Amino acid sequence: MNKGKFLLALLATIIVMPAMAQFTQDKPKAEYMFKADVGYMPYISNLGHAGDYGYYISDLRHITNVNVINGVNLRQDFFVGLGLGYGYVSTPSNMSDGWHSAMAFLDLDYRPIDVEWAPMVGARFGAHYMMSNTPYENTLTPYVEISAGVNWFFNYVYRNMERNYMSVYLELAAAYTQQTVFLPIRLGVRF
């Protein structure tokens, strides 16, 4: 490489590097977030093989639940977190005859655009533990969910490349656990 080309390459590097360094220092690539939501999971149908005593959940039982998720927002639009949930499994006509359940899961969501009202898609993968008074008693099964919803960034600000990601979200999902398909509806807050 001749001396002129080397000096031009060096000059271009000197100009570009400080600009790139400044851009990467403006906002961290990962930001801690906390999510909390309440939900209602109506029964849709049973899938799989019914055992000797039938399905784990039958009689059109629904689940009312509360979830908390700790995680990080990556690159502003992608959330990854670990969550814990508590649920109450009962029939709508007899809320006193219910069972308790617990969940641990990996929560993922993605907001493809950055506006005050932003759509989101998500998924949850984990385990669901149900403590019932059926012949099966306590059952532990996988939990799988795919969701879509909307975020409302109630304090939306976009100044100097800074964004406020506190939001209220509403999501509708399809979930499978305990040999049963549910249709979760959730209202939550992210901060």
Side-chain angles (χ1 to χ4, degrees), residues 1 3-18:
M1 177 187 276
K3 198 173 192 178
K5 288 183 182 178
F6 176 74
L7 288 175
L8 285 175
L10 184 61
L11 182 61
T13 303
I14 290 171
I15 291 169
V16 170
M17 290 305 277

Side-chain angles (χ1 to χ4, degrees), residues 95-107:
M95 294 293 288
S96 61
D97 179 29
W99 312 321
H100 300 281
S101 69
M103 283 192 335
F105 54 89
L106 174 67
D107 182 71

Side-chain angles (χ1 to χ4, degrees), residues 65-180:
N65 60 5
V66 175
N67 303 300
V68 292
I69 304 110
N70 280 302
V72 292
N73 230 22
L74 301 172
R75 300 228 178 238
Q76 302 171 358
D77 299 322
F78 186 69
F79 176 83
V80 178
L82 294 175
L84 294 173
Y86 166 78
Y88 188 70
V89 184
S90 65
T91 58
S93 61
N94 188 2
M95 294 293 288
S96 61
D97 179 29
W99 312 321
H100 300 281
S101 69
M103 283 192 335
F105 54 89
L106 174 67
D107 182 71
L108 309 165
D109 74 45
Y110 175 66
R111 294 175 314 277
I113 59 174
D114 184 25
V115 292
E116 187 174 0
W117 289 89
M120 73 176 197
V121 293
R124 290 184 178 181
F125 306 97
H128 186 251
Y129 182 70
M130 187 172 63
M131 299 154 271
S132 70
N133 58 4
T134 67
Y136 291 112
E137 294 183 352
N138 302 332
T139 56
L140 177 67
T141 63
Y143 181 85
V144 178
E145 174 184 307
I146 303 294
S147 64
V150 64
N151 271 289
W152 171 49
F153 296 99
F154 54 87
N155 194 12
Y156 183 79
V157 177
Y158 184 68
R159 280 189 224 116
N160 300 327
M161 300 296 289
E162 293 291 322
R163 294 175 176 89
N164 185 343
Y165 289 102
M166 294 188 302
S167 68
V168 174
Y169 60 90
L170 177 66
E171 60 184 0
L172 180 64
Y176 178 75
T177 187
Q178 303 289 343
Q179 300 177 319
T180 308

